[in-house]
Amino acid sequence: MTATNLHVRDFFNIPNALFRFQTPASVSATVSFDIRWLGPPTGRSAVTSPPGSAGKLLNSPVTIRWSAKTASGFSFTSDPSGTTSFFGQLGRVRNGIFA
């Protein structure tokens, strides 16, 4: 899965994203990422909680490259040499609240 220069809003932190108490509440930003699934699934798991949820997830090793730039001048780029995760999950989940 790849995205390049995807336009998003940076809210700086989770409390501000939820309650917007900072001024400005957010700034324009772009993100780019490349997620590569490395092989066959190493495991499968069912989603059964919280009550009303259902789904199936596949576990697999992945590599991730990530970068972001904000209109306020902040930028971040992951180190591609150390971005192999222990596992990634891919699947479909229904949470019982919105489905």
Side-chain angles (χ1 to χ4, degrees), residues 8-86:
V8 298
R9 303 292 301 174
D10 180 7
F11 288 90
F12 316 115
N13 55 57
I14 293 173
N16 190 56
L18 295 172
F19 304 112
R20 304 207 177 28
F21 56 82
Q22 289 179 248
T23 303
S26 66
V27 295
S28 297
T30 58
V31 297
S32 298
F33 57 86
D34 183 37
I35 302 171
R36 298 193 183 245
W37 303 90
L38 298 177
T42 57
R44 301 179 194 293
S45 57
V47 176
T48 58
S49 65
S53 297
K56 294 182 181 178
L57 299 172
L58 299 175
N59 300 328
S60 177
V62 298
T63 60
I64 303 168
R65 292 184 182 176
W66 173 267
S67 65
K69 296 178 186 175
T70 69
S72 61
F74 175 79
S75 66
F76 172 83
T77 302
S78 66
D79 179 2
S81 66
T83 58
T84 301
S85 70
F86 181 69

Side-chain angles (χ1 to χ4, degrees), residues 83-95:
T83 58
T84 301
S85 70
F86 181 69
F87 73 93
Q89 290 184 316
L90 182 65
R92 178 173 280 179
V93 176
R94 182 188 69 206
N95 68 8

